Amino acid sequence: MTTMHQTRRDILKGGLAVAGLSMFGVPDWALPVLAQGETLVPFTDIPDNVRWEVPPDRRTLDLRTIDGPFTPKEKFATTQHYGHPDVDPATYKLKVTGLVNQTKSFSLDDLKKMGGKELIAGFECSGNRGPLNSLCGNGRWTGVPLKTVLDAAGVKTNAKEFVFFGADHGQEEIEWRTQKFTLEQNFGRSLPREKALSPEIFLAYALNGDPLTKHQGAPLRLLVPGYYGVCNVKWLQHIHLQEDAYLGRFQARWYRTLRGEMIDGEMMWKETSVTHMNLKSFIARVTKTGSQYKVMGVVLNDGTPIKSVEVKVDDGQWQMATMDPMTKEKYGWKFFAYNWTGATPGDHTLISRVTDVNGKVQPTAQENETKKSFLEENSQAPRKVKIA
Ligand SMILES: Nc1nc2c(c(=O)[nH]1)N[C@H]1C(S)=C(S)[C@@H](COP(=O)(O)O)O[C@H]1N2
Ligand SMILES: [Mo]
């Protein structure tokens, strides 16, 4: 509680002066920290054994502590497969090889000279799911567009697949028919040519104005805005351009979604690689000021503009929530708020759903039932609270 008040003061001191927004008739939830006299209504669905931090390298975001549009670096969720590699920024090089006119090697300074651009992007691990939805965040990243770097190397016309490797590596067992090979592999992900050369793909060296931390992939990481976390290769050290599809473990095997779809009256089972983020909203916290209850939540998607968010209490009607005017960036996460009137003592279930401008509605858990793996879990997610 104290830290939240602290944060509010810090934000106000820091000049993010949005406190005056109420002058323009915007509800004061626009600054999503606990105001004077505001208290958290307890969730009753948080597992007893929850661990927000698993040192040395894992951390999840407790949504109740969101205190502004950008997630501070020390709170940014972090996860990876091979632990944190040691990369010395002084000797660091980004190699660009394969189907380029000229093999290139860039130091961090070289990249900074080409950079200085900003990208605001929401972040979500494809394993992020309810009730806690704690593998997400929102960052203001500084760096250089990938295309600038690729243009410096010169992309050949037959380069179809762009593979991004981190400095982290491990022994992977690769099965082929009756054979098993154990081979050293670096973490790798790929993008098709058209996506890789689109202007928004980004190489970031800073988060919220500070150099990347080791957790966030220092000194350089890939960012594919609107795509799930796994696509954003940390400790990026090598980009390889090739003609053939890349089928590495984290591209083609681990980060796969198995989903049944009715096509022309028949169930088709599709296996797809995790790419763009699916339309999703979830409740972050419920607070109380006097007798007023407020529900605050988060929207994440692939950048398609949002039409509306609705909130439902128990078996009531869907009610329109208000979108936060401070969180409007195309790829950034967005906040919504709902004034919960008529809240009564006891246990309640709250749920939210978002609709985008194309009329796509966040699916119910039932509609997502033919999705067999837990990745890309974007169903409407209930939260349980108890009012004293
Ligand atoms: N090099 C490397 N990059 C990686 C990973 C990894 O294991 N190694 N994990 C990916 C996954 S699954 C996620 S969700 C994000 C996590 O990024 P964060 O720790 O900044 O939240 O990094 C992605 N990039
Ligand atoms: Mo992830």
Side-chain angles (χ1 to χ4, degrees), residues 259-262 267 269 312 351 361-372 377-382:
R259 202 192 284 270
E261 228 178 90
M262 288 303 282
M267 185 63 100
W269 291 97
K312 187 165 83 170
I351 197 159
V361 183
Q362 181 180 2
T364 61
Q366 205 184 2
E367 285 163 342
N368 253 350
E369 245 169 25
T370 60
K371 187 172 70 59
K372 294 302 175 195
E377 182 45 63
N378 69 325
S379 317
Q380 298 169 25

Side-chain angles (χ1 to χ4, degrees), residues 144-215:
V144 50
L146 173 65
K147 186 163 188 310
T148 308
V149 171
L150 293 174
D151 284 348
V155 175
K156 290 197 167 161
T157 47
N158 55 340
K160 300 268 169 58
E161 182 90 339
F162 293 50
V163 196
F164 303 85
F165 294 104
D168 50 335
H169 52 86
Q171 298 271 310
E172 291 297 343
E173 266 200 358
I174 298 164
E175 274 187 42
W176 185 77
R177 299 193 170 193
T178 55
Q179 288 179 289
K180 245 182 209 171
F181 307 98
T182 305
L183 301 168
E184 191 70 15
Q185 303 259 293
N186 281 70
F187 180 89
R189 285 283 305 189
S190 68
L191 292 173
R193 179 187 180 99
E194 198 190 344
K195 186 74 184 173
L197 292 177
S198 73
E200 59 214 3
I201 315 299
F202 204 72
L203 301 177
Y205 47 74
L207 169 63
N208 302 331
D210 292 326
L212 292 189
T213 63
K214 187 175 248 206
H215 288 79

Side-chain angles (χ1 to χ4, degrees), residues 79-81 123-128 135 228-230 254-255 375:
T79 184
Q80 56 279 309
H81 292 272
F123 200 98
E124 183 183 27
C125 173
S126 50
N128 190 40
L135 281 169
Y228 281 113
V230 66
W254 211 108
Y255 285 94
L375 300 178

Side-chain angles (χ1 to χ4, degrees), residues 1-12 16 18 28-35 38 40 61-76 137-138 208 284-285 296 298 324 326-327 333 335:
M1 224 48 77
T2 337
T3 54
M4 285 191 190
H5 286 119
Q6 194 74 42
T7 314
R8 179 182 169 81
R9 268 202 304 276
D10 288 351
I11 286 175
L12 294 177
L16 235 174
V18 288
D28 67 356
W29 54 259
L31 184 65
V33 289
L34 291 182
E38 191 175 15
L40 280 175
L61 176 68
D62 181 345
L63 300 177
R64 295 169 298 180
T65 70
I66 291 175
D67 57 5
F70 302 114
T71 312
K73 61 174 188 278
E74 65 283 356
K75 278 171 66 172
F76 217 99
N138 192 50
N208 302 331
R285 64 166 168 256
M296 180 259 171
V298 175
D324 181 343
M326 282 211 318
T327 49
W333 68 8
F335 296 152

Side-chain angles (χ1 to χ4, degrees), residues 95-97 160-166 186-192 196 222 233 236-248 251:
K95 277 191 305 180
V96 184
T97 63
K160 300 268 169 58
E161 182 90 339
F162 293 50
V163 196
F164 303 85
F165 294 104
N186 281 70
F187 180 89
R189 285 283 305 189
S190 68
L191 292 173
L222 177 69
V233 178
L236 179 68
Q237 64 170 18
H238 185 189
I239 304 174
H240 186 71
L241 277 56
Q242 61 190 45
E243 199 159 352
D244 300 312
Y246 169 75
L247 298 179
Q251 180 69 28

Side-chain angles (χ1 to χ4, degrees), residues 293-319:
Y293 290 84
K294 190 173 77 186
V295 180
M296 180 259 171
V298 175
V299 170
L300 280 161
N301 78 337
D302 60 3
T304 307
I306 298 306
K307 182 169 159 247
S308 63
V309 177
E310 296 153 288
V311 172
K312 187 165 83 170
V313 180
D314 301 323
D315 295 324
Q317 301 284 308
W318 285 107
Q319 306 278 342

